[in-house]
Amino acid sequence: MATTVRRAVLTLPAAPLGPENPLPVLRAPAEVHTLDERSREGLPRDMARQIGYEPLRSLLPVRLRDGYQRRRQERDVDAIVIENAHLRVTVLPGLGGRVHSLVHLPTGRELLYRNPVFQPANFALNGAWFSGGIEWNIGATGHTTLSCAPLHAALVPAPDGGVMVRLWEWERLRDLPFQVDLWLPQDAEFLYVGVRVRNPHERPAPVYWWSNTAVPEDPGTRVLAPAEEAWHFGYERALRRIPVPQWEGADRTYPLASTYPADFFYEVPAGARPWIASLDADGRGLVQTSTARLRGRKLFVWGAGQGGRRWQEWLTEPGTGGYAEIQAGLARTQLEHVRLEAGAEFSWLEAYGPLAADPAAVHGPDWAAARGEALRALDAALPGELVEEAYKAWRGAADTEPGERLAEGSGWGSLEVLCAGHKLPGTPFAEAALGEEQAPWLELWRTGVFPAPRRVAPPGPSLVAPHWRDMLETAPAEPLTEYHLGVAQWHAGDVAQAVRSWERGLALAPSRWPLLRCLAVADALAGDRVRAAERYAEAFDDLVEESRGGDPWTAAESALGGEAMAALLAADRLPAARSVWERLRPALREQGRFRLLAARLLAAEGHVGAARRVFEDGFELPDLREGDEILSEVWSRLTDRPLPPSYDFRMRPPG
């Protein structure tokens, strides 16, 4: 059977993504995967250096995706299906290029954890993320901002003369283009994935990449990798070296042997073949291997505790099986970023396929024998030299220009390529991809003037790279220009100049709330809660007066209303917080974020019983952040009773 590629449509129970949050992300990302200086003591020198190298300090220019809810309806999702006699691969180009399914056709076995629903949750750096399949994480520590974004996709001639699918986009946190090429040689039992990240700039860039594979979390499943030690990282934010497989009285290579969610970054010896496998009680499952550039291997477990199980339910349909994650990355841990020199690139090849090994050896007490058996089975199924040969063949095709287009991504890469003149063979960012969001920036580049909006609407996205900041600084100082300039200056760390730009814009702005909100954030981060609260209240007043119908305005009211209420509560400005609540659209008051804020407001007003009844009546917080303990914290202020299981998302031990 020759390899075929076809378009398809999946029908899934899916929650809508909703509109983007229109407020620029001025606060540093609330990332749980961080270490303080003391925690780096005693780490290997290269690891400590890469942990300290260019950690992400801002999500700009990316916007938050936090408008999703939890009411699911049957929806069609565009897919690309790659198939030969052995494997059927289903890819979702409109959702980060996620490999949704990998089926071994001779047995009918699904090799991945395939989520039966599409349910966004707050795990990506910019919010919306969903579980299942194989995802491509680029940018910075965490799930990529492209988790729920469309990628460009097209057909390209494969190295073996067949056809492969190329996915590509412009990653905006680090301003780097990347590509992911997927193909199935005609008689292969492994999916090959060629990855390339390029730095077209004249300065070095920090690079982060982890390929993240969800696998079924059956009770008898064991994860094997070529390591005798691992770096354990839990939500206590401590990194420590531990033995593999036994640690603190349990075999941690079985995902359900841990109580709390945790990462296990395996210490793969230099020169060893890199691989990781998830095998069930019968010794069958999925293996991933790669060329040496992708050196890191990791197991993530949700654990058997209440919080981990609640998260598993939250991400899919209750009653469906759970999952663990096996991952492969550029560094030993996900706390690190790797330096990519100016004009250089990183590239590697990955392979995913079925593995069958002797279950007695795989699940035996001798760890060396267990991993040795898995490696023996891998070497028999896919010798390492074949992976190297496939990588060399793919590199010869990496620059081939794509043919038939299968999906379209964003226009941001097209804007950058057009303005900077980058040459990126193999990944065309065509001018035709430019859209409404890029239009004012294209005019700024062409004319030196940032155009006034044609209609009253929340401001569009800001661009913050140095060349855009330079253009804004020399453009006529109109209020909207000052707004975007302030955002770019803020991103650069020039807080004083940002505040001055926003204040200049405020003096003449017909729409004051975007500038007032930026100034309120600056006040809050400077420790002036009172002035922040005053500006938030004024900003919300102005927004309500200006607001029209439609998703952008509803999203603005939801985002600004939530921030304003939180700031007013922090400043003990309870009447003003109540005023914001009362002027919210009725539909917004029913959202989980405002139900929680209502409980906090009631408690602050002295109505503890009424606040507790908000919890007892039940609500869901769709955008609850990974690791956030706000539900348990508010509940503990209302009562001494145990936290109801439906609100228990705690990911670390008490205390």
Side-chain angles (χ1 to χ4, degrees), residues 39 45 141 189 233 365 373 421 474 497 605 627:
S39 299
R45 184 175 299 177
T141 299
E189 290 196 350
F233 185 82
E373 168 59 16
T474 57
Q497 280 288 6
E605 292 171 332

Side-chain angles (χ1 to χ4, degrees), residues 25 55 72 152 165 170 218 266 282 402 408 443 472 478:
V25 189
R72 295 189 286 268
H152 299 282
V165 173
W170 190 277
D218 300 322
Y266 293 113
D282 296 324
E408 297 296 332
E443 186 168 339
L472 289 167
E478 298 297 328

Side-chain angles (χ1 to χ4, degrees), residues 445-647:
W445 176 67
R446 285 175 169 164
T447 69
V449 177
F450 196 89
R454 291 190 295 271
R455 63 184 184 278
V456 178
S462 297
L463 295 184
V464 297
H467 54 284
W468 293 111
R469 188 172 72 248
D470 291 344
M471 284 184 253
L472 289 167
E473 286 175 344
T474 57
E478 298 297 328
L480 185 57
T481 307
E482 296 287 359
Y483 164 80
H484 287 300
L485 174 58
V487 174
Q489 290 165 333
W490 181 275
H491 175 264
D494 196 343
V495 173
Q497 280 288 6
V499 168
R500 280 193 285 272
S501 295
W502 292 327
E503 289 175 339
R504 282 196 305 268
L506 188 62
L508 298 174
S511 179
R512 292 167 53 83
W513 65 267
L515 293 149
L516 285 166
R517 181 265 176 177
C518 290
L519 291 167
V521 175
D523 289 334
L525 294 177
D528 193 339
R529 288 185 175 184
V530 173
R531 189 162 70 166
E534 291 172 351
R535 278 179 160 158
Y536 264 121
E538 188 180 353
F540 191 73
D541 286 344
D542 189 67
L543 172 59
V544 171
E545 290 295 321
E546 187 177 79
S547 186
R548 274 73 164 161
D551 283 349
W553 290 106
T554 302
E557 288 185 42
S558 177
L560 184 56
E563 287 188 13
M565 283 193 69
L568 290 163
L569 286 169
D572 202 28
R573 300 287 297 273
L574 304 186
R578 173 62 60 184
S579 176
V580 171
W581 165 261
E582 290 174 348
R583 284 177 297 156
L584 288 167
R585 301 182 190 207
L588 291 181
R589 292 184 203 166
E590 297 304 314
Q591 289 183 356
R593 70 178 64 170
F594 289 108
R595 299 290 292 158
L596 178 61
L597 283 165
R600 293 174 58 191
L601 176 58
L602 286 165
E605 292 171 332
H607 308 302
V608 175
R612 190 165 57 245
R613 281 193 294 276
V614 173
F615 277 79
E616 292 167 349
D617 291 345
F619 68 90
E620 292 183 321
L621 196 61
D623 59 334
L624 179 67
R625 182 69 181 167
E626 172 191 11
D628 195 340
E629 298 180 356
I630 185 65
L631 290 172
S632 57
E633 290 169 359
V634 174
W635 176 260
S636 68
R637 293 198 291 268
L638 303 177
T639 178
D640 293 332
R641 289 156 47 190
L643 181 68
S646 61
Y647 300 119

